[in-house]
Amino acid sequence: MAVSAALLMLPVNSFGMADNMAKDDDLQPLAPFEAQYRLEVRGWPSATITHQLREESQHWLSDMRFSITIARGQERSRFTTDDASTHALMYDSSYSVLGIGDSYQLRADDIASLDRQTAIIDLARRADNANCSFASPCDIHFADHRGREEHFQYYMADIDRLKVPAGEFDTHSVILFDSEKPDRQLRISFHADFPGLILEALYQKDGKRDTHITLTRMTSMGDS
């Protein structure tokens, strides 16, 4: 399960919907893309994650998946967006380690805030909000893969541009943390022009790097 959960950077948890964020500005519109990331998890062989965001009829689909010799994982979410918010419609995930695994599915009625795939997109659309600072962090709530509500906080990281294997890009970066677990921290750097596209994600535990994700390739899928 740790390998599959690393797909979303935080072992057993992920992201969600912010409470104390500015409501006046329109959120950044989405642009479809295909991407590949390098996934490195301490104690496991490195793997490639594929991530696709595309528009389907009247909703969007975010799809992340990876596979290595002994494990595989996938998460998908369907959602809608408007200028001020992101709305979860359906989420499903599956994982397998040495042929043993499980699968999960959440409908809109099962998700009180956002599922963790949709929450990646929502967080990226809000990631340039300067109101979320170290002194006054924003609260976020999310549903994990089983639909259980979780709570984190985050603030803006002082990173405007980042060089990764795929190239050098402008970025909006955030740092997420759990006030009850001060030894853990997650920094995510999103592509400034493609909400949800991750340039780099670094999860640290006890001051040591536990999980690292970097963008190795990306392709725009439209004219947005």
Side-chain angles (χ1 to χ4, degrees), residues 41-68:
V41 182
R42 186 169 55 182
W44 289 84
S46 61
T48 296
I49 296 176
T50 61
H51 185 195
Q52 185 180 95
L53 177 69
R54 66 177 185 266
E55 193 169 12
E56 294 188 339
S57 184
Q58 298 181 353
H59 67 267
W60 288 84
L61 172 68
S62 178
D63 187 312
M64 269 187 173
R65 60 184 70 196
F66 80 96
S67 178
I68 56 178

Side-chain angles (χ1 to χ4, degrees), residues 41-220:
V41 182
R42 186 169 55 182
W44 289 84
S46 61
T48 296
I49 296 176
T50 61
H51 185 195
Q52 185 180 95
L53 177 69
R54 66 177 185 266
E55 193 169 12
E56 294 188 339
S57 184
Q58 298 181 353
H59 67 267
W60 288 84
L61 172 68
S62 178
D63 187 312
M64 269 187 173
R65 60 184 70 196
F66 80 96
S67 178
I68 56 178
T69 304
I70 60 174
R72 62 177 178 81
Q74 177 182 5
E75 295 200 353
R76 296 186 302 174
S77 178
R78 288 179 168 82
F79 58 92
T80 60
T81 65
D82 54 41
D83 291 340
S85 59
T86 311
H87 307 278
L89 298 176
M90 188 179 73
Y91 163 89
D92 62 79
S93 66
S94 62
Y95 74 93
S96 175
V97 179
L98 296 175
I100 301 173
D102 211 337
S103 61
Y104 304 88
Q105 187 174 84
L106 303 175
R107 302 289 183 178
D109 292 343
D110 303 319
I111 306 169
S113 52
L114 294 176
D115 64 78
R116 62 189 191 181
Q117 268 292 315
T118 302
I120 292 175
I121 306 299
D122 188 77
L123 181 61
R125 297 181 73 201
R126 302 175 186 270
D128 61 345
N129 182 358
N131 291 333
C132 303
S133 65
F134 177 79
S136 180
C138 291
D139 295 302
I140 60 176
H141 298 272
F142 59 89
D144 72 3
H145 58 289
R146 296 178 185 269
R148 300 170 298 192
E149 284 296 299
E150 300 285 354
H151 170 231
F152 273 71
Q153 291 181 298
Y154 81 91
Y155 57 91
M156 310 309 300
D158 188 18
I159 303 174
D160 298 322
R161 195 163 178 83
L162 192 64
K163 187 175 183 180
V164 293
E168 186 172 351
F169 308 95
D170 291 336
T171 182
H172 298 146
S173 299
V174 298
I175 294 177
L176 295 99
F177 65 96
D178 183 346
S179 59
E180 297 181 355
K181 299 176 181 178
D183 61 320
R184 305 181 186 188
Q185 176 181 284
L186 171 66
R187 187 188 75 224
I188 310 176
S189 296
F190 293 107
H191 194 298
D193 299 320
F194 290 84
L197 177 58
I198 298 169
L199 298 181
E200 182 181 49
L202 177 62
Y203 174 63
Q204 292 181 311
K205 183 178 179 181
D206 296 324
K208 298 179 181 180
R209 188 177 79 177
D210 185 271
T211 304
H212 190 210
I213 290 176
T214 50
L215 177 68
T216 57
R217 191 179 74 178
M218 68 87 62
T219 304
S220 171

